[in-house]
């Protein structure tokens, strides 16, 4: 007799998997050739979150962003337009900017190697030789241009001339977060971590709560349905047995009495004024833009998590906490209860991702198997496969 029988009944609308499904091959999480394929097919072909627009507010300010072995230069030109280029000089390919951020002088961008000079539209203004060869035209040697866009104060860029439509890169319609008025929000705190795992391990962990009861005891108290190892109501095959019960352990959302994702469930800041009752009651609204970011919107703050691949088994995670300006200017608002809670949960996730990564190397482990609750992991893995098979 099985210790885990299949359910006697699956109610209509049940979301979970009904049969075991193989995971991606284990070697895809550490093989350098596979890592390079994923950089080329996924990281260099999709929109990547760079930073808040406020970090490039001043004209001539710049930031660099490293994605795999590519370096991107983002600059706010004199006309106010945001521009992105490969951070590479057209002469002999030196990196133009070595720092992560700064401000160009009025003279523009000067290559540190032989001093070719570009304006902020990326046009070569002057080569440094005292003479040029016959037929050399400065207009032929502008910087390699990349797309960049601003959405609600978030800057995205891409390492391809034809990234997918931006809205199609989000897992919710972009207007779904309108009530948070994201463009207004200000970064009140930042944190970052390097995780010794493949980037996909992070996303797979993000996409299931089977690990929540064991890995996140505090979070499982705050969000009782997570304590049942479920993401939402219809992950339970017999969800209809409790369909009329508004207990958060069945319907999701925060435990009774809690309002936000903080150590004690109390908000840390001024609530977003336009949220509907449903948006408040949900406790969290997630928006994901694979492969580089997700944001979690709560009633008083928004948390943005950005991922960047550093190697087959290393991933950089950075987190921005966004608040209304009123919250940041109010000395009574103590952000630390939100920051501490995120630090706790994300540290638990980072540690368990590293545990997952280490075990994947076992010689006989060709692949794992997904359980019913891991249906969103399956969606992620299908997405990875589809990206890799694109022409
Ligand atoms: S490589 Fe930039 S000026 Fe020579
Ligand atoms: Fe987790």
């Amino acid at each position: 007799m099985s210790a885990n029988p299949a359910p006697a009944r699956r109610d209509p609308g049940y979301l979970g998997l009904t049969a075991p499904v193989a995971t991606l091959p284990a070697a895809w999480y550490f093989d350098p050739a596979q890592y390079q394929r994923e950089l080329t097919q996924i990281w260099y072909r999709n929109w990547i979150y760079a930073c808040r627009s406020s970090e490039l507010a001043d004209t001539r300010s710049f930031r660099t962003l490293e994605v795999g072995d590519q370096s991107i230069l983002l600059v706010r030109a004199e006309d106010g337009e945001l521009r992105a280029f490969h951070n590479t000089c057209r002469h002999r390919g030196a990196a133009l900017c070595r720092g992560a951020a700064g401000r160009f002088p009025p003279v523009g961008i000067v290559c540190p190697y032989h001093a070719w000079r570009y304006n902020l539209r990326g046009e070569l203004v002057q080569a440094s030789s005292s003479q040029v060869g016959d037929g050399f035209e400065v207009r032929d040697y502008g910087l390699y241009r990349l797309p960049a866009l601003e959405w609600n104060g978030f800057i995205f860029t891409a390492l391809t001339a034809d990234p997918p439509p931006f809205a199609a890169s989000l897992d919710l319609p972009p207007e779904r977060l309108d009530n948070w008025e994201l463009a207004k929000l200000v970064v009140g705190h930042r944190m970052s971590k390097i995780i010794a795992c493949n980037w996909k391990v992070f996303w797979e962990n993000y996409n299931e709560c089977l690990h929540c009861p064991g890995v996140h005891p505090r979070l499982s108290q705050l969000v009782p349905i997570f304590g049942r190892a479920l993401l939402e109501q219809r992950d339970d095959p017999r969800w209809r047995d409790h369909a009329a019960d508004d207990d958060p352990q069945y319907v999701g959302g925060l435990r009774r009495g809690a309002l936000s994702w903080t150590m004690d469930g109390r908000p840390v800041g001024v609530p977003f004024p336009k949220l509907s009752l449903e948006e408040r009651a949900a406790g969290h609204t997630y928006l994901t833009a694979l492969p580089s970011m997700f944001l979690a919107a709560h009633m008083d703050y928004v948390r943005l998590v950005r991922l960047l691949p550093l190697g087959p088994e290393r991933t950089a995670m950075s987190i921005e906490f966004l608040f209304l300006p009123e919250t940041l200017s109010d000395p009574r608002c103590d952000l630390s209860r939100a920051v501490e809670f995120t630090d706790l949960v994300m540290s638990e996730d980072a540690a368990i991702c590293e545990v997952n990564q280490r075990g994947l190397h076992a010689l006989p482990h060709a692949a794992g198997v997904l359980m019913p609750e891991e249906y969103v992991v399956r969606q992620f893995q299908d997405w990875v496969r589809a990206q890799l098979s694109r022409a």
Side-chain angles (χ1 to χ4, degrees):
M1 193 183 113
S2 164
N4 304 90
R9 188 186 90 215
R10 292 187 185 102
D11 290 337
Y14 168 63
L15 294 171
L17 300 175
T18 56
V21 178
T23 63
L24 300 177
W28 286 19
Y29 299 86
F30 52 81
D31 173 35
Q34 176 64 22
Y35 174 71
Q36 194 57 47
R37 268 194 290 281
E38 293 175 5
L39 287 179
T40 306
Q41 287 287 99
I42 299 177
W43 288 90
Y44 300 165
R45 295 181 70 170
N46 285 291
W47 290 104
I48 305 293
Y49 173 62
C51 60
R52 285 292 280 172
S53 299
S54 55
E55 293 177 68
L56 283 171
D58 298 334
T59 55
R60 294 189 277 109
S61 59
F62 73 86
R63 294 190 75 84
T64 55
L65 176 72
E66 314 298 317
V67 183
D69 60 4
Q70 299 298 300
S71 179
I72 302 170
L73 171 62
L74 289 151
V75 60
R76 180 73 64 188
E78 281 98 343
D79 56 4
E81 201 186 311
L82 174 72
R83 291 197 173 85
F85 308 103
H86 281 276
N87 182 20
T88 291
C89 178
R90 290 294 307 274
H91 175 215
R92 275 174 46 212
L96 289 168
C97 297
R98 284 171 284 193
R103 192 159 186 228
F104 290 120
V107 75
I109 308 170
V110 179
C111 177
Y113 199 177
H114 315 94
W116 278 28
R117 186 159 66 81
Y118 303 86
N119 64 28
L120 302 190
R121 291 190 297 277
E123 295 158 344
L124 178 62
V125 176
Q126 197 170 36
S128 52
S129 322
S130 55
Q131 58 198 333
V132 297
D134 294 344
F136 179 91
E137 299 284 355
V138 288
R139 66 169 177 273
D140 294 336
Y141 295 93
L143 297 180
Y144 303 111
R145 188 85 193 259
L146 292 171
L149 64 82
E150 294 180 83
W151 172 72
N152 275 320
F154 298 105
I155 292 177
F156 288 80
T157 183
L159 282 154
T160 173
D162 59 344
F166 179 68
S169 305
L170 308 176
D171 68 339
L172 290 180
E175 59 279 7
R176 184 64 187 73
L177 286 164
D178 281 357
N179 290 347
W180 275 268
E181 301 183 279
L182 296 166
K184 267 195 194 175
L185 307 187
V186 180
V187 177
H189 188 81
R190 289 192 163 85
M191 58 170 72
S192 59
K193 233 180 236 316
I194 293 191
I195 313 176
C197 76
N198 181 269
W199 67 276
K200 301 188 299 301
V201 166
F202 178 93
W203 280 118
E204 291 174 2
N205 179 69
Y206 166 78
N207 281 320
E208 50 92 353
C209 226
L210 194 53
H211 70 280
C212 291
V215 171
H216 302 302
R218 283 292 287 265
L219 175 60
S220 294
Q221 283 170 12
L222 181 72
V223 185
I225 199 167
F226 290 179
R228 295 174 61 223
L230 305 178
L231 289 168
E232 63 164 282
Q233 186 175 39
R234 287 175 302 143
D235 298 2
D236 177 353
R238 300 184 60 153
W239 64 274
R240 279 200 171 167
D241 288 352
H242 307 283
D245 193 334
D246 67 354
D247 186 321
Q249 70 168 310
Y250 300 118
V251 293
L254 305 179
R255 69 171 160 76
R256 295 218 163 96
L259 294 170
S260 185
W261 278 47
T262 60
M263 289 309 269
D264 57 7
R266 286 187 299 125
V268 294
V270 178
F272 299 116
K274 294 195 176 164
L275 298 191
S276 66
L277 284 177
E278 295 73 39
E279 286 166 338
R280 273 184 183 235
H284 46 260
T285 300
Y286 278 90
L287 175 132
T288 308
L290 291 175
S292 73
M293 79 114 209
F294 74 87
L295 59 83
H298 306 297
M299 61 89 79
D300 58 334
Y301 75 99
V302 171
R303 187 159 37 94
L304 183 142
V305 177
R306 183 188 73 182
L307 282 200
L308 290 171
L310 297 179
E313 301 187 73
R314 261 161 69 85
T315 300
M317 172 176 72
S318 51
I319 307 178
E320 293 173 324
F321 295 79
L322 299 151
F323 301 89
L324 284 170
E326 300 91 287
T327 294
L328 297 180
S329 60
D330 184 344
R332 292 165 305 174
C333 289
D334 172 19
L335 311 185
S336 67
R337 285 179 297 109
V339 170
E340 267 175 53
F341 189 69
T342 291
D343 194 21
L344 172 72
V345 174
M346 296 309 286
S347 298
E348 290 165 345
D349 279 325
I352 207 67
C353 284
E354 294 186 347
V355 167
N356 191 173
Q357 184 70 35
R358 282 201 295 280
L360 285 164
H361 286 266
L363 291 171
H365 189 72
V369 59
L370 297 179
M371 292 287 102
E373 297 88 340
E374 296 169 302
Y375 63 99
V376 196
V377 179
R378 190 207 182 162
Q379 290 163 14
F380 169 75
Q381 297 190 342
D382 285 347
W383 177 84
V384 169
R385 286 193 189 92
Q387 297 272 313
L388 291 171
S389 64
R390 288 198 295 174

